[in-house]
Amino acid sequence: MSRPEIEVRALHKSFGANEVLRGIDLEIGRGEVVCVIGPSGSGKSTLLRCVNLLEEPTKGQVFVGGTELTDPDVDIDAVRRRIGMVFQQFNLFPHLTVTENLTLPQRRVLRRDKAAAAQVAAENLARVGLSEKAAAYPSSLSGGQQQRVAIARALAMGPEVMLFDEPTSALDPELVGDVLAVMRMLADEGMTMMVVTHEMTFAREVADRVVFMDDGVIVEDGTPEQVIGNPRHDRTRHFLSRLL
Ligand code: ADP
Ligand code: MG
């Protein structure tokens, strides 16, 4: 079997005296979609941020595509280019058009020329169904549209892996579906995805695996039927019962 696309080994992360991740082991295969669920403060965002080294682990190892990110000699910028990240807040540049939001990182980071970057931007805006918004400014878009632009911006960099941190939590309920539909399309296309979410329907229908975290550890890791449908641990049951 080929090596997992994402490998986290014995990962610990402390902020001062606060140990937030207390020994995380996780493997995500190529093309696999893993949803991470758990209560607020359990360490989900910190784990995601350790997977692209936005946070530096205190101990342990992280591998993406076989490259160890936690190796002090690694070219972290080169590895990060292979990892797309989408946050709860869309973080678009307000003074740039939608197209410019997509071309700027391609030109700065990948050194693509203007025409090539514009071409890739157009392709990815089409993928998320927003071709007609190419010349618009973010403030004229709904939250759901802005988040789809943020996803297109990440995709325009050609990532091998996509990380999502509660991508629909800041959206009005009626806008959530369009963003989830784009994520579902990516999953169907075979993208490797790690998704922190409270959207249990999405987790049930799209995830290959669901990971339940509590208090800095992985409590359960299994199929959606196992973890959501038939949780083995009281902590998982308690968490799920509060979502309903
Ligand atoms: P979750 O995403 O599951 O809600 P987080 O990973 O955001 O949890 O946070 C887990 C814990 O780590 C919380 O107690 C939070 O206060 C703490 N924490 C997260 N980021 C930082 C930081 N940059 N500095 C200090 N503490 C942090
Ligand atoms: Mg979080």
Side-chain angles (χ1 to χ4, degrees), residues 13 15 18-22 37-47 165-166 196 198 213-217 239:
K13 175 65 183 177
F15 294 105
N18 185 14
E19 192 175 32
V20 168
L21 298 179
R22 302 186 294 121
I37 63 173
S40 176
S42 57
K44 305 180 299 296
S45 294
T46 302
L47 172 60
D165 194 356
E166 299 198 31
V196 176
H198 297 296
M213 279 183 73
D214 194 15
D215 203 15
V217 297
F239 171 75

Side-chain angles (χ1 to χ4, degrees), residues 117-227:
Q119 172 66 31
V120 173
E123 285 164 15
N124 283 289
L125 281 180
R127 273 172 105 184
V128 303
L130 288 174
S131 298
E132 79 280 11
K133 299 294 184 188
Y137 284 88
S139 59
S140 71
L141 305 181
S142 72
Q145 290 171 333
Q146 290 186 53
Q147 188 61 297
R148 282 149 65 201
V149 171
I151 294 171
R153 178 179 57 180
L155 293 174
M157 305 298 280
E160 291 165 28
V161 165
M162 287 285 286
L163 310 178
F164 294 88
D165 194 356
E166 299 198 31
T168 60
S169 294
L171 301 177
D172 293 335
E174 72 273 20
L175 304 175
V176 167
D178 289 345
V179 172
L180 293 179
V182 167
M183 293 166 62
R184 193 183 287 254
M185 170 195 79
L186 285 181
D188 290 343
E189 290 174 5
M191 180 64 79
T192 306
M193 295 165 58
M194 188 169 170
V195 183
V196 176
T197 187
H198 297 296
E199 294 290 336
M200 289 303 133
T201 304
F202 178 84
R204 266 180 193 276
E205 294 179 0
V206 181
D208 297 297
R209 272 161 55 213
V210 174
V211 167
F212 172 69
M213 279 183 73
D214 194 15
D215 203 15
V217 297
I218 291 177
V219 176
E220 288 199 51
D221 178 347
T223 65
E225 296 90 84
Q226 285 166 346
V227 176

Side-chain angles (χ1 to χ4, degrees), residues 21-153:
L21 298 179
R22 302 186 294 121
I24 300 281
D25 289 282
L26 181 65
E27 293 189 355
I28 300 180
R30 183 153 307 168
E32 211 174 7
V33 177
V34 173
C35 283
V36 180
I37 63 173
S40 176
S42 57
K44 305 180 299 296
S45 294
T46 302
L47 172 60
L48 214 59
R49 293 166 65 80
C50 282
V51 169
N52 64 0
L53 240 58
L54 282 179
E55 296 289 356
E56 195 179 339
T58 309
K59 224 164 52 176
Q61 291 172 300
V62 177
F63 298 82
V64 173
T67 304
E68 185 184 349
L69 275 67
T70 36
D71 177 343
D73 294 330
V74 82
D75 178 355
I76 187 60
D77 292 330
V79 184
R80 270 207 200 109
R81 271 171 227 157
R82 292 149 58 180
I83 307 171
M85 180 130 181
V86 174
F87 301 89
Q88 184 174 331
Q89 300 304 334
F90 332 119
N91 303 323
L92 299 176
F93 292 115
H95 59 292
L96 298 181
T97 65
V98 165
T99 292
E100 288 163 351
N101 266 280
L102 267 67
T103 53
L104 181 75
Q106 295 182 65
R107 300 196 65 195
R108 289 252 172 97
V109 178
L110 303 180
R111 303 267 162 225
R112 280 190 187 137
D113 68 34
K114 200 170 177 177
Q119 172 66 31
V120 173
E123 285 164 15
N124 283 289
L125 281 180
R127 273 172 105 184
V128 303
L130 288 174
S131 298
E132 79 280 11
K133 299 294 184 188
Y137 284 88
S139 59
S140 71
L141 305 181
S142 72
Q145 290 171 333
Q146 290 186 53
Q147 188 61 297
R148 282 149 65 201
V149 171
I151 294 171
R153 178 179 57 180

